[in-house]
Amino acid sequence: MKAQLGWHASSIIIIIPEPLVVSPITLRPWESQAAPNGDVMDLPAPQKRKRSPSPSPPPPSLQPSAAPIDLSLLEALEKSQQNAVETLDLKTLKKLALSLERRLNANTAARLKYPDNPDKFAESELELHDELQKLKILAGAPELYPDLVSLGTVNSITGLLNHDNTDIAIDAVTLLQDLTDADVIEDNDEPAQVLVDALIENNAVELLVQNLSRLSDSDPDESAAIYNTLSTIENLIEVKPSVSELVCEKTKLLKWLQARIKIREFDSNKQYASEILAILLQNSIANQKRFGQMNGVDTLLQAVAMYKSKDPKTGDEEEMVENLFDCLCCLLMPLENKERFVKAEGVELMIIIMNQKKLCYGSAIRALDFAMTNYPPACERFIDVMGLKTAFPAFMGKIPLSKKNKKKRYKEELEERLISLIASLFGGILRGSRRERLLSKFVENECEKIDRLMELYMRYSDRVKAETERFNQLELDDLEIDEEEKYNRKLDSGLYTLQLIAVILGHLWTSEHSRMRARIELLLKQHKLTKRDVKDVLQEYHDNIGDLDGPEEKERAQSKILKFISAFT
C-alpha cells in the first residue's frame, strides 16, 4: 500500500477571500504551580522542537535528464491546472465533504464484499487517500470549521482513525494535526472550539491513543504518525485544557507515555513523549496522583538516573532530560508522591547527581526543593544521607558552571532554590540531633553562612525596594496600580526569596544561640538595618499566606511567623 500511495494532482484549490497570515510562534508560559503551603513554585515550560519537514525531490523541470524538454507537454499541464482552480468556500467544502463520503462508502462496500481480496479494494483506498489529502486545504480556512462539523465530516474523519489500513489511519492523523495546528487556530478561537468539541464528542481522543498501539518507530511513516498524534493531542489541550484530564481518564495514554520513557535509547518521539507527560502533569492534581499510582515516580527516577554521571549528547536530548525533571517536580506536588519519592531513594539519587556536578546538577536541586517542601520525612532523609555536606557549598556560591549554564540568571535560580530548600529543612526538622546538625552549619567557620545569608538578604531587599520605587513613580504619573498587582510585582522582583531568608533568620534567632544572635545583630548594624526591618518583611509574608490547604493550615503557618515576629521585638 505504501508504495502505491502518492499525491494525485486531480485539482488545485486556492483561497480567494484573503491570504493566510502566519503569525510568529509564541511559546506558552508554563503556569505557576502552587506548593502545599500556598507558596508559588514555578516550573519552566517544556519546549517542543518542530519536526523538520522531509526534503522534497526537485520538480521534474529541475531534475537532470538527457531528453529535451517538451514545451507542449508543459503548456498542456499548465492549462489543465488552470481549469482546476476553485475558490474555497462553503460550496467547495460541501463538494469535498460529499466526495469524501462517497469514497469512504465505496471503500467500506468493497471491503465488505471482498474481505479476503485486497486487490479488489486497493483502488478505493487510493481514492480515499486522495480525498483526505484534499481536505488538508481546510487548514487555510478555519472559519469553515463549524460547517465541517455540521456536515458530519468530522465523524467520518475520526472514524478513519480506526481503519483497518494503517496508512489510511495515518492520513487521518495527519489531517487532524494540520486542522488543529497552533498557527492555524491562533486567531480563530470560536471555530477551533467548535472543531475540538466535535472531535471529543466523536471519540477522537480515544481513537488517537488507540491507534498509537499499532504504530512502530521502525517504519518512518508510522514514526511520523506517532509524532503527529502527540502533536494533535497537545493542540486539543491548548484549545480545551480539560482534555488534559479527559485523555488520562478515558485512555491508556499515561501508560503508553510511561512505556516510552522507559526505553533507554533516545529519539525525537521519546523527547516529545516526555513533553506531553509534563503538560499532562502540569496543572492537574488528578493526573499527578494517577501517574503516581502507576509507579510513575520510580519510572522517572530510573529515567533521570541514566544522566547522573553523564551529560546528554545533543540539544534535543538535553531538552528531554529537562522535561523529565519537570515531570518529576510536578509529580512531587501530592503528599503521597513525596512519600513514594523517599521510599524509592529519590533523595539519595538527587544528592548523587549533585555530587557528580554534571548538567543535571541544578535540576536535582529543584527536585529536592519540591520533595522537601512541607514534608519532614524527606528533610530527615536529606540530613541522614549527608545532604548538608552537598547543599551548603552550593549555598556559599560554589555552583559548578558549564558552558551552557554560565548565565547569571541560572546561578541566581539555583540560589533561590537552595534558600527554599534550607527554609524547608528548618520548617521540617524542629528538634533533636538533626536540628542541631543543621544549626551548627551556621556557626562553623566564623558564622560564614550567616554572612552569606545577610549578603543575599541585602541583594533581594534592594531589588524589592527598587521595584517598589518604580511603581510608586508610576502612581505619581497618574497610573493606578492596585494592591494585588503591587504585591505580584514585588514577588517577581524577588520578594518571596527575601521572605524565606527572613524566615531562616527567624529560625536562627529563636534558637537562642548567643553567637548566632550576636552575628545577626552585627551584620544588621553594618548594613544600617535593624530587627524592625526583618520584622516588616515577616509581617508582609504573614499577611499574604494563602489558604490553599484550608484555613487550619493557614492559621498554623501564620502562627509560626508570628513567633518569629515576636522574637525580633
Side-chain angles (χ1 to χ4, degrees), residues 6-144:
W7 182 76
H8 290 245
S10 56
S11 65
I12 298 175
I13 302 175
I14 63 172
I15 306 169
I16 288 180
E18 58 182 17
L20 175 64
V21 179
V22 180
S23 302
I25 298 174
T26 56
L27 296 177
R28 299 187 311 277
W30 186 272
E31 296 184 14
S32 298
Q33 285 282 352
N37 65 348
D39 298 329
V40 174
M41 307 186 76
D42 294 324
L43 286 170
Q47 298 180 4
K48 177 179 73 174
R49 289 183 173 236
K50 297 292 183 181
R51 175 178 292 276
S52 300
S54 55
S56 302
S61 60
L62 298 181
Q63 291 179 346
S65 173
I69 298 175
D70 189 336
L71 295 178
S72 62
L73 287 177
L74 290 177
E75 290 174 358
L77 177 61
E78 183 180 2
K79 184 177 180 181
S80 67
Q81 289 179 341
Q82 288 176 348
N83 292 335
V85 172
E86 295 181 75
T87 301
L88 182 53
D89 54 15
L90 180 56
K91 181 179 178 181
T92 306
L93 172 60
K94 289 180 178 180
K95 287 173 62 177
L96 289 170
L98 180 59
S99 183
L100 174 68
E101 295 301 327
R102 285 173 176 169
R103 302 304 182 194
L104 177 56
N105 291 337
N107 176 245
T108 303
R111 276 187 166 270
L112 289 173
K113 189 173 182 180
Y114 307 104
D116 301 320
N117 192 349
D119 291 339
K120 294 290 187 179
F121 52 76
E123 184 177 352
S124 68
E125 285 180 11
L126 282 169
E127 293 172 343
L128 183 56
H129 162 80
D130 290 344
E131 294 303 323
L132 288 169
Q133 298 300 309
K134 291 177 187 177
L135 283 173
K136 288 184 178 182
I137 198 67
L138 290 174
E143 66 276 5
L144 293 176

Side-chain angles (χ1 to χ4, degrees), residues 302-413:
Q302 290 183 39
V304 301
M306 293 173 56
Y307 299 92
K308 66 178 183 289
S309 57
K310 69 173 185 178
D311 286 339
K313 296 179 181 178
T314 66
D316 287 349
E317 189 172 6
E318 183 181 335
E319 286 185 16
M320 181 202 69
V321 176
E322 290 174 0
N323 288 338
L324 292 173
F325 272 102
D326 288 344
C327 292
L328 183 59
C329 291
C330 286
L331 207 56
L332 288 172
M333 297 300 288
L335 191 66
E336 57 263 41
N337 288 342
K338 295 176 188 283
E339 181 180 356
R340 294 183 177 106
F341 179 82
V342 173
K343 286 184 177 179
E345 300 184 351
V347 174
E348 290 88 334
L349 176 60
M350 296 304 113
I351 292 174
I352 290 172
I353 291 174
M354 288 179 65
N355 287 330
Q356 292 295 324
K357 295 180 172 59
K358 295 294 183 180
L359 192 69
C360 296
Y361 179 90
S363 298
I365 292 176
R366 187 157 54 95
L368 284 170
D369 182 24
F370 274 82
M372 293 162 61
T373 299
N374 286 349
Y375 192 62
C379 299
E380 293 170 0
R381 178 68 63 85
F382 182 81
I383 290 181
D384 291 345
V385 296
M386 308 300 289
L388 297 178
K389 185 178 179 181
T390 302
F392 273 101
F395 173 73
M396 294 300 295
K398 298 176 182 178
I399 295 174
L401 298 176
S402 65
K403 292 181 180 179
K404 295 181 179 179
N405 290 330
K406 282 187 175 180
K407 294 182 179 179
K408 180 181 177 182
R409 184 55 194 152
Y410 168 79
K411 189 173 181 179
E412 289 183 349
E413 286 174 359

Side-chain angles (χ1 to χ4, degrees), residues 61-313:
S61 60
L62 298 181
Q63 291 179 346
S65 173
I69 298 175
D70 189 336
L71 295 178
S72 62
L73 287 177
L74 290 177
E75 290 174 358
L77 177 61
E78 183 180 2
K79 184 177 180 181
S80 67
Q81 289 179 341
Q82 288 176 348
N83 292 335
V85 172
E86 295 181 75
T87 301
L88 182 53
D89 54 15
L90 180 56
K91 181 179 178 181
T92 306
L93 172 60
K94 289 180 178 180
K95 287 173 62 177
L96 289 170
L98 180 59
S99 183
L100 174 68
E101 295 301 327
R102 285 173 176 169
R103 302 304 182 194
L104 177 56
N105 291 337
N107 176 245
T108 303
R111 276 187 166 270
L112 289 173
K113 189 173 182 180
Y114 307 104
D116 301 320
N117 192 349
D119 291 339
K120 294 290 187 179
F121 52 76
E123 184 177 352
S124 68
E125 285 180 11
L126 282 169
E127 293 172 343
L128 183 56
H129 162 80
D130 290 344
E131 294 303 323
L132 288 169
Q133 298 300 309
K134 291 177 187 177
L135 283 173
K136 288 184 178 182
I137 198 67
L138 290 174
E143 66 276 5
L144 293 176
Y145 285 178
D147 300 304
L148 183 71
V149 172
S150 62
L151 289 170
T153 310
V154 171
N155 183 34
S156 299
I157 296 171
T158 54
L160 289 173
L161 293 169
N162 201 31
H163 197 279
D164 289 337
N165 187 334
T166 306
D167 292 295
I168 296 297
I170 289 175
D171 287 336
V173 169
T174 307
L175 174 59
L176 290 177
Q177 197 278 333
D178 286 349
L179 296 179
T180 60
D181 186 84
D183 290 338
V184 172
I185 62 178
E186 184 177 9
D187 297 320
N188 295 274
D189 294 342
E190 291 186 13
Q193 193 71 49
V194 172
L195 175 63
V196 171
D197 287 343
L199 289 171
I200 293 172
E201 184 179 342
N202 286 282
N203 303 316
V205 172
E206 293 91 330
L207 291 170
L208 281 165
V209 175
Q210 182 179 312
N211 189 53
L212 279 173
S213 62
R214 58 172 173 168
L215 300 177
S216 170
D217 270 304
S218 59
D219 182 289
D221 291 338
E222 294 185 6
S223 180
I226 292 173
Y227 187 96
N228 288 336
T229 299
L230 297 177
S231 179
T232 303
I233 292 171
E234 181 183 12
N235 294 341
L236 296 179
I237 294 172
E238 178 72 13
V239 175
K240 195 177 182 71
S242 61
V243 172
S244 176
E245 291 193 357
L246 183 145
V247 71
C248 295
E249 291 171 3
K250 294 191 174 183
T251 76
K252 295 181 179 179
L253 180 59
L254 279 179
K255 186 176 181 180
W256 185 91
L257 293 171
Q258 184 177 31
R260 192 77 197 195
I261 288 169
K262 286 182 178 180
I263 298 173
R264 296 186 66 84
E265 294 76 17
F266 171 78
D267 58 42
S268 60
N269 282 339
K270 181 179 180 182
Q271 176 195 357
Y272 204 177
S274 69
E275 181 187 341
I276 295 298
L277 181 59
I279 291 171
L280 294 175
L281 298 176
Q282 176 181 352
N283 291 317
S284 171
I285 293 293
N287 287 350
Q288 293 162 7
K289 291 183 176 181
R290 186 178 288 110
F291 194 58
Q293 293 166 358
M294 296 167 57
N295 205 27
V297 172
D298 194 59
T299 298
L300 290 170
L301 288 176
Q302 290 183 39
V304 301
M306 293 173 56
Y307 299 92
K308 66 178 183 289
S309 57
K310 69 173 185 178
D311 286 339
K313 296 179 181 178

